[in-house]
Amino acid sequence: MIFLGPPGVGKGTQAQRLAQRLGLPHVSTGDMLRASVSSGSEIGRRAGAVMESGALVGDDLIVGIVAERLRLKDAEAGVVFDGFPRTILQAEALDGLLAAQDGEIGAILHITLDEEEIVERLSGRRVCAHCGAIYHMRHHPPAEVGVCDWCGGALLQRDDDQPEVIRKRLAVYQTETAPLIAYYRERPVYHLLSGKGDAETVFSQIVKVIGMSR
């Protein structure tokens, strides 16, 4: 299962929910990188060196780490990808990996949302500087403005949650992923879904399109 969509549409939340529902591992790019580096494998050491230098991990290393992850026993029945693939090269490589294992993509779930709503969602987020609790000024506000309900820590807005930064992130996403969407759009397993509404509403759409009973 593959989740696609810009920042702020809730694809991470939905990927986790679907993975739990199906009893499959939820696999994010960040998790894969950290696990590979911790394992001490050759490709993990190479990726670790790149990350330590501050450079971006290239497609070849990402694909190698995905191949490594798919060979683990818990992935035998499948995985739910969150944040992979990000490029055409990665998508083509995944097709090759799956073909070699007699596997296939079960569903491509592309979640979309109006840009202004994404900006509102992300710019309203606040994070406790002490315990990391997450709030939203509109949907999940603290009892006292600027103060964490749990520990009394100060609530801060992350730099990348500033509206102007969010708009730049969305522009980059659209530029980088347009070819990837085109690569997948004509496949029968591709589904375009609205991210509007609460998490349960969106999840109900996902359940319906992949043919799961509630």
Side-chain angles (χ1 to χ4, degrees):
M1 305 285 178
I2 294 172
F3 276 83
L4 303 175
V9 298
K11 62 183 181 296
T13 297
Q14 297 301 334
Q16 289 177 336
R17 291 188 67 168
L18 182 61
Q20 184 176 19
R21 180 69 175 270
L22 294 174
L24 299 176
H26 167 243
V27 179
S28 73
T29 303
D31 290 342
M32 283 189 293
L33 282 168
R34 287 186 288 272
S36 185
V37 171
S38 297
S39 74
S41 67
E42 178 185 351
I43 198 162
R45 290 194 297 271
R46 289 169 54 200
V50 173
M51 292 164 69
E52 286 177 8
S53 73
L56 294 175
V57 179
D59 283 339
D60 59 335
L61 285 177
I62 292 292
V63 169
I65 288 169
V66 169
E68 190 176 67
R69 182 65 182 84
L70 290 177
R71 287 193 293 269
L72 297 181
K73 188 171 182 60
D74 70 339
E76 288 179 355
V79 301
V80 177
F81 280 121
D82 176 8
F84 177 87
R86 292 183 183 273
T87 67
I88 292 291
L89 190 152
Q90 291 178 12
E92 292 173 341
L94 177 61
D95 284 341
L97 289 172
L98 292 176
Q101 297 180 18
D102 293 325
E104 61 183 5
I105 297 173
I108 301 160
L109 303 159
H110 179 196
I111 304 177
T112 62
L113 192 64
D114 179 76
E115 180 174 315
E116 291 308 309
E117 189 161 349
I118 291 175
V119 172
E120 189 275 333
R121 279 189 183 185
L122 295 181
S123 63
R125 184 165 53 186
R126 299 293 185 271
V127 181
C128 177
H130 180 66
C131 72
I134 299 175
Y135 297 83
H136 192 279
M137 300 310 292
R138 178 180 173 186
H139 304 295
H140 177 49
E144 181 181 349
V145 176
V147 179
C148 178
D149 294 345
W150 295 101
C151 71
L155 299 184
L156 306 176
Q157 184 179 44
R158 300 188 325 193
D159 289 343
D160 60 354
D161 283 342
Q162 299 287 342
E164 62 275 14
V165 177
I166 295 168
R167 294 184 196 282
K168 289 179 181 177
R169 289 167 61 196
L170 292 174
V172 169
Y173 172 83
Q174 296 298 342
T175 300
E176 291 183 346
T177 61
L180 184 61
I181 300 303
Y183 182 80
Y184 282 134
R185 185 179 290 123
E186 300 305 318
R187 299 193 184 191
V189 293
Y190 172 86
H191 303 283
L192 182 63
L193 305 169
S194 170
K196 195 172 182 62
D198 59 24
E200 184 62 30
T201 298
V202 178
F203 190 62
S204 294
Q205 292 183 72
I206 292 169
V207 167
K208 182 178 181 180
V209 299
I210 64 177
M212 296 165 56
S213 60
R214 293 291 295 180

